[in-house]
Amino acid sequence: MKKVKIHTKEGDYEGLLVNEVIEKRRQFLIVKLDSGYNIGVDKAKIVTMQESEEKILPDQKTEPGRKPSQPESEKDSLYILHTGGTIASKVDYKSGGVSALFTPEEIVSLFPEIKGSHSIQARLISNVSSEDMGFSSYNNLIENIASFAKKEIEEKEKIKGVIITHGTDTLHYTSAALSFALHGLPFPVVLVGAQRSSDRPSSDARMNLACAVRFVEFAKPKEISGVFACMHSSISDDSCLIFRGVNLRKMHTSRRDAFRQINSAHFAEAWFNENRVELTKSALEELSSGEKKERFSHQEYRPDLRIGVLYAHPGLRKEEILAYQGFHGLIIAGTGLGHLGISRSEEADNTGNLEALKELIKTGTRIAVAPQSIHGRINLNVYSPGRKLKEIGILGNLCAMTIETAFIKLAYLISCFKPELIGELYHADFCGENRMRNLLNE
């Protein structure tokens, strides 16, 4: 993507050359100005156009306390894995829609703020919308990240971290999938998305990506590792929140501050216009707990897995439950403390629901319940319907996982462990998914 200076009969423009379009036999150059706005410049009115000289950006200056720039060969590597999504999308001027059109190299050139004391290595993993991600996609990411971890551990390559550009709609599924599958990471892995495409003036892509890089630069020297996500903290362009990969949820369809950590505080906050990252109280406590760091290892998901999600609702019928026959697993989004209609009352007309659940379990489908409510944990001990679900082998009692994290955890356990261990392991805590922390004074 070229940076150009254009002199026209009507004025001068400087920015990134995004595209060239033809409209009603007139040719226009689409230029992204430094302000973030796009402008169409009529080619017939251009007097001169030239590539501008490279500017020294704020992030490239030597700040107090920062070492002078190192030769590329001596810098730590920062890997950017590109999977597509809105953060890597722009307006397709032919169709008028938004499409994933950026190459990894274009992402780097479009967001100069991510340049720093590291060598950026971009890699195209996929170019899909996040709703098209699945277990094979997770395995592809796992394999790539594992190869980087082995480079650092075995080949002594200095790797600062890995950033994954990802669509927001299922970002929290992918962050959970990586959290369960990657153990003892030697660097932070940060998923970052955007609610608005990168060539819109209101886009959150630039800030989200810059804050993700800032967190990586903060985390690696402090030996903070694991899987995280980075998104806007509010509708303002001040800071981003750094979330743990599990129990993360998208809370709004379009707001830039759509994501929130459920049942615990976020991990950290990174400021856009300041070289500042602050950890929350719970993060500091976690890091000072003295837990021994495990050796790096990774596992993969069965690509043929069929895991369903059944939303409990008034009028639920056994036919809906039995539709999941042949599935490896099923998450029930339960009402209240984890219930669904099994009382056989004439008013509810749910005769056969309990027997249908028993039939699924008998034929090999592992079933767990997660709360429809946003916060809180499942408790099948309180009411008789819950106790009946527990008696027939429904998993999830006293678990504090979101539906999305429960879905991924069940898939992980079915993929990687013997069937007789799944019941016990589902209720264990692997990466913070079953911990509830006091949110006060964070």
Side-chain angles (χ1 to χ4, degrees):
M1 191 175 291
K2 296 179 180 178
K3 194 164 188 180
V4 295
K5 286 183 177 179
I6 299 175
H7 173 60
T8 73
K9 299 173 183 177
E10 299 175 347
D12 297 333
Y13 308 97
E14 182 175 354
L16 294 172
L17 181 59
V18 176
N19 205 350
E20 182 173 345
V21 297
I22 299 175
E23 184 178 345
K24 296 180 180 180
R25 298 184 180 180
R26 296 170 66 189
Q27 291 180 298
F28 292 87
L29 297 181
I30 307 302
V31 178
K32 185 178 185 65
L33 305 177
D34 291 339
S35 64
Y37 285 88
N38 291 342
I39 188 170
V41 181
D42 190 339
K43 287 188 72 173
K45 297 180 180 180
I46 295 176
V47 178
T48 61
M49 183 176 75
Q50 62 184 39
E51 261 187 71
S52 66
E53 296 178 2
E54 187 71 21
K55 291 184 176 181
I56 298 177
L57 298 161
D59 287 51
Q60 295 173 304
K61 294 178 181 177
T62 303
E63 300 173 1
R66 176 177 283 188
K67 296 179 181 180
S69 296
Q70 299 170 276
E72 288 294 314
S73 59
E74 297 179 10
K75 290 182 177 181
D76 293 357
S77 295
L78 174 65
Y79 284 91
I80 297 180
L81 303 183
H82 169 50
T83 67
T86 300
I87 189 170
S89 297
K90 60 184 178 182
V91 175
D92 183 343
Y93 290 94
K94 292 181 180 179
S95 67
V98 174
S99 304
L101 301 174
F102 294 154
T103 66
E105 290 74 20
E106 285 179 313
I107 290 178
V108 173
S109 65
L110 190 63
F111 306 116
E113 292 89 350
I114 69 176
K115 294 180 180 178
S117 58
H118 45 251
S119 172
I120 295 173
Q121 310 290 329
R123 182 176 294 186
L124 179 65
I125 299 297
S126 59
N127 202 0
V128 299
S129 299
S130 66
E131 61 266 26
D132 292 323
M133 298 285 283
F135 296 114
S136 294
S137 304
Y138 303 153
N139 289 342
N140 195 1
L141 284 168
I142 291 164
E143 290 168 6
N144 275 272
I145 296 168
S147 71
F148 303 147
K150 290 176 182 177
K151 281 185 179 181
E152 172 151 315
I153 296 167
E154 299 173 4
E155 302 174 22
K156 307 303 179 184
E157 179 181 333
K158 295 180 179 179
I159 298 176
K160 187 160 286 184
V162 177
I163 290 176
I164 301 170
T165 64
H166 198 290
T168 60
D169 288 353
T170 66
L171 182 149
H172 45 315
Y173 284 90
T174 302
S175 66
L178 299 182
S179 297
F180 285 113
L182 297 164
H183 316 279
L185 281 164
F187 43 67
V189 173
V190 185
L191 288 89
V192 59
Q195 291 282 72
R196 299 171 191 176
S197 60
S198 302
D199 59 348
R200 291 177 61 185
S202 62
S203 175
D204 49 337
R206 180 183 298 272
M207 178 172 147
N208 293 347
L209 190 55
C211 286
V213 172
R214 178 150 289 154
F215 174 72
V216 167
E217 290 188 318
F218 167 88
K220 183 59 189 290
K222 293 178 170 31
E223 298 185 345
I224 297 173
S225 61
V227 178
F228 304 90
C230 176
M231 293 293 290
H232 260 53
S233 65
S234 69
I235 58 173
S236 300
D237 290 326
D238 298 322
S239 65
C240 286
L241 298 182
I242 308 299
F243 305 100
R244 278 293 194 185
V246 292
N247 291 337
L248 181 60
R249 176 170 281 184
K250 185 175 182 180
M251 306 287 285
H252 198 279
T253 57
S254 58
R255 279 175 62 116
R256 298 190 296 174
D257 59 341
F259 282 81
R260 287 293 179 269
Q261 201 94 63
I262 305 302
N263 286 333
S264 67
H266 56 273
F267 187 82
E269 187 168 4
W271 275 260
F272 181 47
N273 292 315
E274 303 175 46
N275 188 18
R276 181 160 62 109
V277 175
E278 290 184 2
L279 300 175
T280 59
K281 179 183 176 183
S282 58
L284 289 168
E285 290 174 351
E286 181 182 330
L287 294 171
S288 62
S289 65
E291 292 183 13
K292 187 177 180 181
K293 189 173 181 179
E294 57 185 327
R295 294 179 61 183
F296 174 75
S297 63
H298 71 285
Q299 295 161 295
E300 295 184 8
Y301 294 84
R302 285 178 53 177
D304 64 333
L305 274 182
R306 287 179 291 170
I307 309 291
V309 177
L310 174 63
Y311 203 90
H313 60 83
L316 179 70
R317 302 298 181 91
K318 65 180 181 180
E319 290 81 8
E320 295 177 68
I321 298 171
L322 293 174
Y324 292 95
Q325 282 186 320
F327 277 55
H328 299 99
L330 174 65
I331 299 296
I332 296 173
T335 60
L337 295 172
H339 305 132
L340 74 161
I342 56 170
S343 64
R344 305 189 188 200
S345 70
E346 294 181 5
E347 293 180 2
D349 193 20
N350 53 33
T351 302
N353 284 357
L354 188 63
E355 287 69 25
L357 292 170
K358 289 179 181 179
E359 179 64 22
L360 288 188
I361 294 171
K362 181 180 178 181
T363 55
T365 302
R366 303 310 294 253
I367 306 178
V369 63
Q372 290 182 18
S373 304
I374 302 301
H375 296 280
R377 69 169 78 235
I378 293 296
N379 193 337
L380 300 179
N381 301 321
V382 178
Y383 298 103
S384 57
R387 291 195 292 272
K388 289 179 181 178
L389 293 176
K390 185 180 173 183
E391 287 170 3
I392 67 170
I394 301 291
L395 307 177
N397 189 39
L398 303 181
C399 288
M401 290 179 282
T402 62
I403 294 168
E404 298 88 343
T405 295
F407 172 89
I408 292 295
K409 184 173 185 178
L410 188 58
Y412 168 68
L413 295 176
I414 293 172
S415 295
C416 302
F417 295 91
K418 294 179 180 179
E420 60 268 24
L421 298 176
I422 292 175
E424 178 182 353
L425 292 176
Y426 187 86
H427 298 92
D429 184 68
F430 283 77
C431 48
E433 76 278 7
N434 266 332
R435 285 178 240 163
M436 288 183 68
R437 299 189 180 95
N438 186 350
L439 303 186
L440 298 177
N441 303 318
E442 291 290 355

